[in-house]
Amino acid sequence: MRFVSRILIGVAATTVVAVGAPAAATATTVTTATPATTSSSFYDASWGPYFSSDHKAKAEGHVSVDKKRFKFWHWKTFFVKTKVCTFDKKTHKKHCEFVVKKIKKRVWEWRFSYFFTVDSTLTNYKWWGHNKCAWETFKVVGSDGHASFKSFSTCGRHPEEFSFSGKDAAHIFVDVSRGNRHGPTGFHSGWQDVYHAA
């Protein structure tokens, strides 16, 4: 009977160790130091569908934006009042006055960057003859007002998927059109909205 009790106690101890091990591992993960840069989902939505003016090209997709916090270091000027004393040898007296000094210190503040990813599906409804390709051209306007462009095309009968990324976009637009293998030639949809920063 004592022998059976010892076996049961041994099994119970093994079970406690096995259950306790994952708990200890979880505790280690939780107490890991958080990095200075953190991210969170800021925007997540579908866009489109948008069509070329002849309705033979279609673009639609999804856009997501992650907000990431980082430390921005810079120099800042401070005005400090300090006490300056001088000794007069003739009168043997000490003379003190307060002087304002300008000093520079390196300080940091929290700032944010917004990293976006645009996914698209481009469909070509006329893949034969002249100007048989579907085109989509993205216009990305940055927070500084600078504009950049990204174009994709498909000349086959099956939809194709495309993706591109960047950061700190104030606005993203898309123009859907028809064209050949070298570029768009006509039937533009005009700039359609994909993303606008709040």
Side-chain angles (χ1 to χ4, degrees):
M1 188 67 181
R2 289 181 180 177
F3 179 71
V4 172
S5 299
R6 287 177 183 175
I7 291 174
L8 291 175
I9 291 170
V11 170
T14 306
T15 305
V16 169
V17 171
V19 171
T26 304
T28 304
T29 304
V30 171
T31 55
T32 302
T34 304
T37 303
T38 57
S39 65
S40 62
S41 181
F42 177 75
Y43 182 88
D44 193 86
S46 298
W47 57 268
Y50 300 127
F51 295 85
S52 58
S53 60
D54 63 354
H55 272 250
K56 293 177 181 176
K58 180 181 77 171
E60 59 187 329
H62 183 268
V63 58
S64 60
V65 181
D66 287 331
K67 181 180 180 181
K68 295 187 178 182
R69 186 176 70 166
F70 64 94
K71 285 183 177 180
F72 177 77
W73 290 90
H74 61 97
W75 291 98
K76 188 174 182 180
T77 301
F78 295 90
F79 293 92
V80 180
K81 188 180 286 187
T82 59
K83 187 178 182 181
V84 178
C85 296
T86 57
F87 185 76
D88 192 337
K89 293 180 179 180
K90 292 182 179 180
T91 60
H92 300 285
K93 290 183 179 179
K94 184 170 71 171
H95 175 70
C96 296
E97 62 179 351
F98 286 94
V99 177
V100 176
K101 288 187 176 182
K102 184 170 69 173
I103 61 171
K104 284 188 175 182
K105 290 180 66 176
R106 195 165 181 262
V107 297
W108 62 269
E109 62 185 21
W110 287 118
R111 290 198 180 181
F112 297 92
S113 284
Y114 299 85
F115 294 84
F116 68 83
T117 299
V118 177
D119 300 309
S120 73
T121 301
L122 184 60
T123 305
N124 184 18
Y125 291 115
K126 183 180 179 294
W127 60 90
W128 64 90
H130 186 62
N131 291 332
K132 61 180 184 178
C133 300
W135 280 84
E136 60 179 358
T137 300
F138 292 92
K139 179 182 179 181
V140 180
V141 181
S143 54
D144 59 356
H146 175 73
S148 60
F149 300 87
K150 194 82 174 176
S151 294
F152 303 100
S153 67
T154 179
C155 301
R157 63 186 299 173
H158 301 293
E160 286 196 52
E161 295 182 349
F162 303 96
S163 181
F164 70 99
S165 301
K167 77 172 186 174
D168 297 333
H171 309 285
I172 303 176
F173 306 95
V174 65
D175 173 57
V176 187
S177 61
R178 301 292 302 169
N180 53 36
R181 294 185 180 275
H182 305 291
T185 57
F187 298 104
H188 295 273
S189 65
W191 295 117
Q192 305 295 323
D193 184 61
V194 172
Y195 167 74
H196 275 211

